Amino acid sequence: MSDPTLLVEDLRTAFYTKAGVIRAVDGVSFQVGRGKILGLVGESGSGKSVTGFSIMGLVDPPGRIDGGRILFQGRNIVGLPEPEMRALRGSRLAMIFQDPMMTLNPVLRIDTQMIEAVKAHHPEVSDAEARARARDTLGQVGIPSPDERLKSYPHQFSGGMRQRVAIATALLNKPDLIIADEPTTALDVTIQGQILFEVQKLARQTGTALIWITHDLSVVASLADEVCVMYAGRVVEQGSVDDVLDHPTHPYTEGLLRSVPSANPRGQPLRQIPGMTPSLLRLPPGCAFRQRCERASAVCATAPEITVPVPGRRVRCFHPILATVPA
Amino acid sequence: MTVFIIRRLMQTAIVLVVMSMIVFVGVFAIGDPTAILISADSDMIERERAIAALGLDKPLWEQYLYFVGGAFRGDLGKSFVFNMPALQLILQRLPATLELAFAALVIAIFVGVPLGMYAGYRPESPVSKAIMAGSILGFSLPTFWVGLMMIMVFAVQLGWLPSTGRGHTATVFGVTTSLVTPDGLAHVLLPAVNLALLKLSLVCRLARAGMRENMLMDYVKFARAKGLTARRVVMVHVFKNILIPLVTVTGLELGNLIAFSVVTETVFAWPGMGKLIIDSINNLDRPVIVAYLLVTVSMFVFINLAVDILYSVLDPRVRLSEAKG
Amino acid sequence: MATVLPHEGVESAPVAPVETPWRRFAADFLESPLAVAGLVVLLLIVGIALVAPFISPQNPYDLNQLDIMDGNLPPGAKSAPGYIYWLGSDDQGRDMLSGIFYGLRISLGVGVSSAVLALAIGLTVGLFAAYAGGKVEGFLMRVVDIQLSFPAILVALILLAVLGEGTWKVIAALVTVQWAYYARTVRGTALVERRKEYIEAALCLGLSHRRVMFRHLLPNCLPPLIVVATVQVAHAIALEATLSFLGIGLPITSPSLGLLIANGFEYLLSGKYWISFFPGVALLVTIVSINLVGDQLRDVLNPRLQK
């Protein structure tokens, strides 16, 4: 294996608003290999979606990428001219969004929206061929009678079906990397399960790398190979799914895991992390989590660096929970 | 779709009946119908005869039916001033007004939509800010005063364009219009721009608001994530979404333009029905007033109907939910 | 702001002023220099209108102060009594500056009073419709829709053609034109608010319908109403000026800006621009400043644009 599909190094994306600078992504690094699935976990406002948009080159003013590199198949795509970035987008890189009710254009038919995605990258393909490809992809994601459905408008689909259409659209040009931004959050649990299963299968079959952005650890547990936990724009813990979920070392990850209902003994109140995510506008110096952390001490007022407590694990904490981690 | 149109037609009929009642009550019952329908210089015998002929001694509902019957036959009385049937007079002046309104609408759309879309696409650029400042000005400038100033600058000071009348007209496809002769165009330019100004600002702001709102939508981001060019995202995806409110409004605005041409026609002495109604109000030529009201009201009702149908054609969500219902 | 642990919060919380809604609103409003300029100009105009009799060089409607020999003087000319016509004089020898000051009084007075009346009517109807629901609402909103499908000028024209001329009749026409806008706005927001739980809660507490309507529902409908009201005042002023210009508005005894402009129409073609020009500028500045303020209010009060 040569280069990983995607290598993100020290990515920094900030929004320059009137109220101040919001450092939404502040020195994030990770990588995803062919056919691998990375779970990017965090609460809302932790910078996970902005990370996704940064990779896609879809950060709009007043936001911009301030630093770091995004190596896609070995090539840095930060600051790539728009025509070249556009050629990658939807072709080699694809993205699926959270709310399937909003991602499809309400006044255009599904065929229009799918065919244009093909022709944007392959102008030489005829309409009939593009339509055939759209139909096949719809079938692939489990949409019955795709020929008929192509002629429908988005509002004629249910939420789950719309998300399948969006996924099919993302798959049209057989991308090498798909960024899925909470694509199942808005769906029913059963439909969520089906979609997760199908996406996982597709990623394995085609060798597509997948970044799955979510706040739901149970989704990550069943889907991903690796996991990155983000807090206030930074990666606080990283490692393989089994390691991180079984033996969290960062107090935040541990808190997240403890607040999952099934982790709590029946009949007792849910345990939760005290406090709220800090506003990125007024981030205190030092560890952003320290005011909610029971392990915090005076040293936490300075910013912790990434450490590697055991091989394959990276954690950003002065007081990692190492007692339970097998060496 | 047919069900929808039939239902809307019925609604339209109801509105027309209600409006005719309001006009009837307003002009015939509140006002003095003898003063309205019989020339002030007629003598007693003529009056008596007219009252009997008009059925003014009959109960109100019978009078209303009589009035409606007359309206259906196109008989709305005779103009005192022009001594010809009021309806005929109105219809004679109608083409000039329609021509002016049409020219203004074209200017408003073809200038307003691109400007507004640009301002919405690049809200922070100085050009956009200038466009928006201009549109506030366009909203705020009283039409009649702008007309006066245009006459002062372009007709009096510079002497470039004529300030009164319709100029040469020619007949194309059976329609007599001044939009096809150079002199006619020169005459129509100032009034049309004047009339368009307000609508131009409105169209421009609508386009901008639609652009801004739609650009923030997920479907735009998704379209961009598909690798579409900015041009296709704006011109196809966003434009089609902006179009729906835009068509509704511009459709309704056509009616508005016809009404507002009252002002422009007065300023530029444009021989349309707007100028006629003002002259008629000043001359107390009441049959013409009644005829004008009925004609414009009917026009409005039908424009609204047309807009509704067009709207449902454009928006698949409305079209299909109506088809089901 | 992060909720901090109690003992830690006391020492580390920054001492920022509490962000009350009003402060936030004021701060948002002041963000646009253009809107602030509009507000300043508007306050100035209102001030002028209020004290017009005390600051005008002459009382333009006291015939004893007019001299026909001073008629149609250009701006800056000296009058017989010795003061300067900064903005020229009209055919009667009336100082245009004084005429404009008095005209502003009338234009603003008519505009504001009609807007207030229309607001009262529209608000009651709209709130009632939203609250009553069902057939009553359907009927009232149908009336509003039909009324709004006709342009303001046409409705005003119909009314004035039927009613005849006079200050109160003009105000009546302006109110008729405007009330439906308020009714629709109030009903729209009230419908949204009505579904929220605090109304349910208020009703469960057994509060009277009237109280729920005016004390609970109304305050939450105010923001969009304020925006509509600002815009409507500007509309009313412009419409009154237009009607007066057309000769079917205010009587000669109430010389609003529109009448002043109409007065100068015939002199315009002979190059005596100032009689129409300056009252028009005054009208324009008034309307622009109101619209600037209204525009910013719309942006500040629109929850959809708040980030």
Side-chain angles (χ1 to χ4, degrees):
Chain A
M1 290 286 287
S2 53
D3 292 318
T5 304
L6 184 78
L7 178 65
V8 175
E9 272 181 4
D10 196 30
L11 178 67
R12 291 167 194 277
T13 305
F15 291 85
Y16 294 83
T17 67
K18 281 179 192 148
V21 181
I22 297 170
R23 304 204 177 279
V25 177
D26 198 7
V28 164
S29 307
F30 58 79
Q31 62 176 57
V32 203
R34 277 198 83 224
K36 295 288 182 195
I37 301 178
L38 171 77
L40 204 53
V41 182
E43 292 166 280
S44 44
S46 61
K48 52 195 197 316
S49 295
V50 177
T51 306
F53 287 131
S54 303
I55 297 167
M56 293 294 292
L58 287 177
V59 176
D60 291 323
R64 64 161 191 258
I65 298 178
D66 277 341
R69 301 196 300 163
I70 300 171
L71 298 177
F72 177 67
Q73 294 173 331
R75 169 184 180 212
N76 187 9
I77 57 172
V78 171
L80 213 57
E82 176 57 23
E84 284 176 55
M85 197 64 221
R86 191 188 65 70
L88 285 177
R89 232 184 265 140
S91 155
R92 305 322 332 137
L93 299 165
M95 190 158 179
I96 307 164
F97 294 76
Q98 174 169 0
D99 189 350
M101 300 297 177
M102 308 296 288
T103 46
L104 299 173
N105 192 328
V107 298
L108 296 178
R109 292 199 325 206
I110 299 300
D111 51 1
T112 317
Q113 301 192 48
M114 291 188 77
I115 290 169
E116 70 178 0
V118 176
K119 300 198 81 166
H121 300 285
H122 305 284
E124 74 286 355
V125 171
S126 74
D127 277 10
E129 274 177 71
R131 170 178 291 273
R133 200 195 287 186
R135 184 194 55 217
D136 295 344
T137 322
L138 281 183
Q140 219 180 335
V141 296
I143 288 187
S145 53
D147 262 322
E148 267 169 51
R149 300 308 262 165
L150 269 178
K151 290 185 205 113
S152 313
Y153 285 94
H155 67 271
Q156 292 169 286
F157 289 83
S158 68
M161 281 296 160
R162 276 194 226 190
Q163 196 58 292
R164 282 166 199 262
V165 172
I167 292 171
T169 310
L171 289 173
L172 274 173
N173 293 310
K174 306 201 166 46
D176 301 308
L177 173 71
I178 298 178
I179 300 168
D181 188 359
E182 307 213 26
T184 55
T185 311
L187 304 178
D188 289 344
V189 183
T190 46
I191 295 168
Q192 184 176 333
Q194 290 170 14
I195 288 185
L196 285 182
F197 173 73
E198 271 157 30
V199 166
Q200 196 174 25
K201 197 175 71 183
L202 285 169
R204 300 273 187 263
Q205 282 171 357
T206 56
T208 305
L210 191 63
I211 297 177
W212 197 277
I213 298 172
T214 183
H215 61 259
D216 187 345
L217 282 171
S218 58
V219 167
V220 170
S222 61
L223 179 79
D225 304 302
E226 294 259 322
V227 62
C228 251
V229 182
M230 286 187 71
Y231 188 80
R234 294 177 176 188
V235 173
V236 293
E237 176 153 23
Q238 204 170 348
S240 79
V241 166
D242 293 341
D243 290 350
V244 172
L245 297 192
D246 292 345
H247 309 288
T249 56
H250 196 281
Y252 176 64
T253 317
E254 200 219 4
L256 271 185
L257 281 166
R258 278 203 313 215
S259 56
V260 172
S262 60
N264 286 272
R266 193 177 281 272
Q268 284 187 13
L270 275 180
R271 288 202 275 180
Q272 49 180 343
I273 307 175
M276 289 156 47
T277 33
S279 157
L280 288 174
L281 261 180
R282 280 177 289 244
L283 215 51
C287 174
F289 187 61
R290 96 188 120 97
Q291 289 173 340
R292 301 169 70 187
C293 180
E294 27 187 65
R295 300 168 75 91
S297 68
V299 68
C300 299
T302 56
E305 290 301 319
I306 289 271
T307 55
V308 183
V310 282
R313 289 295 286 277
R314 293 154 63 83
V315 61
R316 192 188 286 275
C317 183
F318 288 112
H319 310 293
I321 310 160
L322 295 173
T324 58
V325 180
Chain B
M1 194 66 192
T2 344
V3 180
F4 167 67
I5 292 175
I6 290 170
R7 204 160 58 197
R8 282 299 283 110
L9 271 172
M10 278 164 61
Q11 272 179 28
T12 303
I14 294 171
V15 171
L16 270 181
V17 169
V18 171
M19 285 315 293
S20 73
M21 280 180 182
I22 291 175
V23 171
F24 174 77
V25 171
V27 179
F28 285 71
I30 296 176
D32 178 6
T34 52
I36 293 171
L37 295 171
I38 303 162
S39 164
D41 351 302
S42 52
D43 57 39
M44 272 313 284
I45 304 155
E46 269 180 62
R47 285 180 75 85
E48 294 292 327
R49 201 186 304 142
I51 287 175
L54 291 168
L56 294 178
D57 43 357
K58 304 248 171 62
L60 204 61
W61 63 269
E62 220 170 298
Q63 287 186 45
Y64 172 69
L65 289 183
Y66 182 82
F67 164 76
V68 172
F72 266 109
R73 288 192 306 274
D75 175 12
L76 294 168
K78 254 185 172 182
S79 160
F80 304 151
V81 176
F82 295 88
N83 199 28
M84 63 189 287
L87 190 64
Q88 196 187 333
L89 189 62
I90 298 280
L91 294 180
Q92 221 173 53
R93 301 290 193 94
L94 185 62
T97 297
L98 288 181
E99 167 185 300
L100 184 61
F102 175 73
L105 192 65
V106 168
I107 293 173
I109 292 172
F110 283 86
V111 180
V113 173
L115 286 182
M117 283 181 70
Y118 180 81
Y121 189 62
R122 298 236 174 284
E124 299 299 324
S125 93
V127 177
S128 304
K129 295 207 161 143
I131 292 174
M132 288 327 287
S135 88
I136 292 186
L137 212 60
F139 255 126
S140 307
L141 289 164
T143 309
F144 68 97
W145 186 70
V146 179
L148 294 186
M149 293 304 120
M150 284 165 78
I151 290 180
M152 194 180 89
V153 173
F154 295 104
V156 179
Q157 308 279 345
L158 299 172
W160 288 353
L161 291 164
S163 70
T164 53
R166 213 176 155 194
H168 285 302
T169 56
T171 306
V172 184
F173 304 124
V175 181
T176 304
T177 171
S178 50
L179 293 178
V180 288
T181 67
D183 181 58
L185 279 175
H187 276 84
V188 88
L189 189 62
L190 281 186
V193 169
N194 180 230
L195 188 57
L197 221 51
L198 196 74
K199 302 305 153 198
L200 198 153
S201 312
L202 182 76
V203 167
C204 176
R205 310 197 107 215
L206 267 175
R208 170 180 177 268
M211 191 76 187
R212 276 189 75 181
E213 237 165 70
N214 278 284
M215 284 304 285
L216 296 175
M217 301 287 238
D218 274 359
Y219 78 80
V220 168
K221 260 211 157 139
F222 189 63
R224 289 168 67 201
K226 289 195 289 192
L228 303 185
T229 55
R231 196 189 157 78
R232 182 161 174 100
V233 172
V234 170
M235 294 307 196
V236 176
H237 283 254
V238 176
F239 184 67
K240 258 206 116 176
N241 277 280
I242 298 181
L243 208 59
I244 294 166
L246 221 51
V247 164
T248 324
V249 171
T250 38
L252 294 174
E253 289 309 319
L254 178 64
N256 232 312
L257 282 171
I258 292 170
F260 259 92
S261 64
V262 167
V263 179
T264 301
E265 286 178 15
T266 306
V267 173
F268 290 92
W270 186 264
M273 60 179 195
K275 175 140 177 45
L276 178 70
I277 176 75
I278 295 297
D279 292 346
S280 302
I281 290 177
N282 287 332
N283 295 330
L284 295 176
D285 196 351
R286 289 184 175 116
V288 180
I289 300 175
V290 173
Y292 173 85
L293 294 185
L294 285 184
V295 168
T296 8
V297 165
S298 325
M299 240 160 41
F300 264 90
V301 171
F302 282 106
I303 288 173
N304 289 350
L305 175 70
V307 170
D308 271 359
I309 293 173
L310 198 57
Y311 181 80
S312 76
V313 170
L314 270 178
D315 192 334
R317 285 162 296 189
V318 175
R319 183 166 70 216
L320 290 151
S321 63
E322 286 290 348
K324 269 182 230 151
Chain C
M1 275 230 44
T3 312
V4 290
L5 295 176
H7 62 279
E8 217 176 353
V10 181
E11 46 182 7
S12 69
V15 196
V18 185
E19 199 173 61
T20 63
W22 169 244
R23 268 216 188 101
R24 191 199 143 118
F25 166 77
D28 281 354
F29 186 90
L30 295 178
E31 230 174 52
S32 157
L34 210 58
V36 174
L39 186 64
V40 170
V41 172
L42 183 59
L43 290 177
L44 195 72
I45 288 171
V46 172
I48 288 176
L50 287 176
V51 299
F54 306 104
I55 55 168
S56 300
Q58 77 175 194
N59 177 351
Y61 303 103
D62 179 1
L63 292 177
N64 293 328
Q65 292 187 26
L66 301 183
D67 188 342
I68 199 106
M69 297 305 285
D70 286 335
N72 288 334
L73 290 179
K78 235 178 178 166
S79 75
Y83 57 74
I84 295 172
Y85 289 123
W86 290 109
L87 302 181
S89 67
D90 72 0
D91 51 345
Q92 303 287 313
R94 193 171 285 141
D95 174 36
M96 286 315 297
L97 186 67
S98 308
I100 289 171
F101 284 177
Y102 276 75
L104 274 175
R105 239 168 121 80
I106 294 163
S107 288
L108 276 178
V110 170
V112 171
S113 52
S114 70
V116 168
L117 275 173
L119 185 133
I121 296 172
L123 189 132
T124 316
V125 172
L127 217 51
F128 180 67
Y131 200 82
K135 280 197 177 137
V136 180
E137 182 186 21
F139 173 74
L140 287 175
M141 286 306 119
R142 198 74 239 167
V143 173
V144 165
D145 282 347
I146 292 172
Q147 154 117 48
L148 287 184
S149 69
F150 293 94
I153 188 132
L154 185 66
V155 176
L157 215 62
I158 295 176
L159 280 170
L160 291 173
V162 173
L163 296 177
E165 123 181 327
T167 306
W168 280 105
K169 287 167 183 163
V170 171
I171 292 182
L174 293 177
V175 169
T176 315
V177 165
Q178 294 177 76
W179 73 275
Y181 287 97
Y182 295 103
R184 176 183 274 185
T185 312
V186 171
R187 182 248 182 187
T189 30
L191 269 190
V192 176
E193 292 297 328
R194 216 191 111 89
R195 283 194 214 108
K196 296 198 178 155
E197 285 173 7
Y198 70 92
I199 294 296
E200 206 68 31
L203 284 172
C204 287
L205 283 175
L207 300 183
S208 76
H209 286 295
R210 233 176 93 131
R211 193 177 163 82
V212 173
M213 210 161 108
F214 286 99
R215 292 304 298 273
H216 293 258
L217 204 48
L218 178 59
N220 288 290
C221 300
L222 280 181
L225 204 59
I226 292 169
V227 176
V228 174
T230 336
V231 176
Q232 285 302 323
V233 170
H235 273 172
I237 291 174
L239 187 56
E240 176 272 309
T242 305
L243 293 172
S244 298
F245 171 78
L246 292 175
I248 52 174
L250 293 177
I252 309 287
T253 48
S254 303
S256 73
L257 295 175
L259 272 175
L260 293 182
I261 296 169
N263 222 1
F265 191 11
E266 53 181 307
Y267 298 99
L268 192 71
L269 296 174
S270 54
K272 296 189 178 71
Y273 67 91
W274 57 89
I275 310 176
S276 275
F277 181 72
F278 290 115
V281 171
L283 183 62
L284 175 67
V285 171
T286 309
I287 299 172
V288 169
S289 59
I290 297 178
N291 281 345
L292 283 176
V293 171
D295 233 41
Q296 182 69 0
L297 282 178
R298 187 200 321 268
D299 281 353
V300 170
L301 294 175
N302 183 359
R304 278 218 276 183
L305 285 179
Q306 271 170 20
K307 285 167 201 147

